[in-house]
Amino acid sequence: MGHQHSHASSASSRHVGKLWIAAGLGLVTFFAQVAVGLTTSSLALLSDSAHVFTDVFGILMALAAIIAAQRASARSDRTFGLHRVEVFAALLNAVLLFAVAGWVLYEAIGRFESPPEVPGLPVTIVAVVGLAMNVAAFLLLRSGAKESLNVRGAYLEVMSDMLGSIGVLVSGLVTLVFGWRYADPAIGVAIALFVLPRAYNLGRQAVRILLQHAPAELDLEAVGAALAEVPGVADAHDLHVWTVTSGMEVASVHLVAAAGVDPAAVLREAQEVLEHRFGLAHATIQVEPERARARCEQIDW
């Protein structure tokens, strides 16, 4: 049997432990907000607890996607495992962020019309606790957000939670000191407007992967030109580059070898170019003689 490439790991799998911790911290914040919110009838805390619950659900969904992808790698018929599940989870996270931001805006409008009386002291205390939990989770996931789209979705959830805690803290302090009831809806609008563009960017990245677009940071023309300049290559065509999930980019290309050139030498050099110049370590390269080019030209997609 020929050699095989393993798809059992991805950028997300390295951060499973951190995601579990972030989910646990979020649950602590959620239960604290619900308990105090129900005791004091604080709409601010109850509203933010719904936000936190949605975000914890998003993190748990991201974890489920990673675990499913890891377990599916043993199935021979799943040649790329279930890593795309992570991308679907990231897309659903973006949808959740949009929904939460829209709900916050809706609630804020209602509060502008009839601002509730929010008890300042208990709200402030719980906001401080929630902020501490969110900062810890934020720092845990910051490095992983640079490597994995799925972890980035969870990271944005935590970021929005952190902003929510800051908003609740500010509104609690303003209410406690000045008794101004409009602080809460004003902060709510600011949080929603901050979250919306970030949710859009996350969703756009997920959609690009699902539609098998080339990575945004990759210059396909430069890749094609570099392959065409490989010694012994007469032509490079049918180049495709796509992303399976974060950190797993895949490429395929046809190279026409000039007459009398060793195809194995062309293959080795092309692999070096793709891996070391463009970070495409997983590439399927077909080296073909000049007479085979006509076959490729007959394919219209």
Side-chain angles (χ1 to χ4, degrees), residues 278-295:
F278 301 101
L280 298 171
H282 196 296
T284 301
I285 304 171
Q286 178 173 313
V287 181
E288 55 196 23
E290 179 69 30
R291 61 180 179 274
R293 188 188 308 192
R295 172 70 179 86

Side-chain angles (χ1 to χ4, degrees), residues 244-273:
V244 177
T245 190
S246 302
M248 293 180 65
E249 281 73 32
V250 182
S252 68
V253 65
H254 289 199
L255 302 179
V256 177
V261 173
D262 181 11
V266 171
L267 176 62
R268 287 194 300 271
E269 183 65 25
Q271 288 173 331
E272 290 288 322
V273 168

Side-chain angles (χ1 to χ4, degrees), residues 47-73:
S47 298
D48 197 48
S49 69
H51 184 189
V52 171
F53 176 80
T54 304
D55 293 345
V56 170
F57 174 77
I59 295 175
L60 293 175
M61 185 172 55
L63 279 164
I66 295 171
I67 293 170
Q70 291 174 332
R71 292 182 176 178
S73 61

Side-chain angles (χ1 to χ4, degrees), residues 15-301:
H15 304 280
V16 168
K18 294 178 180 179
L19 285 169
W20 279 118
I21 295 173
L25 293 173
L27 285 173
V28 171
T29 302
F30 169 72
F31 286 118
Q33 288 183 333
V34 169
V36 176
L38 291 174
T39 302
T40 62
S41 298
S42 170
L43 291 177
L45 282 177
L46 292 175
S47 298
D48 197 48
S49 69
H51 184 189
V52 171
F53 176 80
T54 304
D55 293 345
V56 170
F57 174 77
I59 295 175
L60 293 175
M61 185 172 55
L63 279 164
I66 295 171
I67 293 170
Q70 291 174 332
R71 292 182 176 178
S73 61
R75 287 281 299 271
S76 60
D77 62 332
R78 296 169 180 169
T79 57
F80 281 108
L82 285 180
H83 293 295
R84 278 288 171 88
V85 175
E86 298 182 31
V87 183
F88 280 107
L91 180 59
L92 189 49
N93 274 350
V95 173
L96 287 175
L97 285 167
F98 265 112
V100 169
W103 182 75
V104 169
L105 286 173
Y106 175 79
E107 286 294 314
I109 292 172
R111 292 182 184 186
F112 273 121
E113 296 175 352
S114 179
E117 183 177 354
V118 179
L121 183 58
V123 170
T124 301
I125 293 174
V126 175
V128 170
V129 173
L131 181 60
M133 298 292 179
N134 290 324
V135 169
F138 178 82
L139 295 176
L140 273 173
L141 300 178
R142 183 167 56 181
S143 60
K146 300 176 183 178
E147 302 177 9
S148 164
L149 184 65
N150 204 21
V151 177
R152 180 169 176 77
Y155 173 79
L156 289 175
E157 308 273 15
V158 171
M159 179 187 292
S160 64
D161 279 346
M162 187 167 62
L163 291 171
S165 294
I166 293 174
V168 174
L169 177 60
V170 170
S171 65
L173 288 173
V174 170
T175 303
L176 183 64
V177 176
F178 302 104
W180 190 50
R181 297 186 180 183
Y182 289 96
D184 185 81
I187 293 296
V189 169
I191 293 172
L193 293 179
F194 180 84
V195 169
L196 281 173
R198 285 153 182 80
Y200 170 77
N201 288 332
L202 176 65
R204 183 179 62 178
Q205 291 178 49
V207 169
R208 282 184 60 89
I209 291 177
L210 293 174
L211 294 179
Q212 294 188 302
H213 290 187
E217 68 279 4
L218 188 68
D219 186 343
L220 278 183
E221 291 186 2
V223 176
L227 289 172
E229 293 173 359
V230 170
V233 172
D235 179 58
H237 60 274
D238 204 19
L239 173 63
H240 301 278
V241 183
W242 68 99
T243 301
V244 177
T245 190
S246 302
M248 293 180 65
E249 281 73 32
V250 182
S252 68
V253 65
H254 289 199
L255 302 179
V256 177
V261 173
D262 181 11
V266 171
L267 176 62
R268 287 194 300 271
E269 183 65 25
Q271 288 173 331
E272 290 288 322
V273 168
L274 289 176
E275 180 174 1
H276 297 295
R277 289 183 56 179
F278 301 101
L280 298 171
H282 196 296
T284 301
I285 304 171
Q286 178 173 313
V287 181
E288 55 196 23
E290 179 69 30
R291 61 180 179 274
R293 188 188 308 192
R295 172 70 179 86
C296 293
E297 293 174 350
Q298 294 174 3
I299 300 174
D300 57 2
W301 62 275

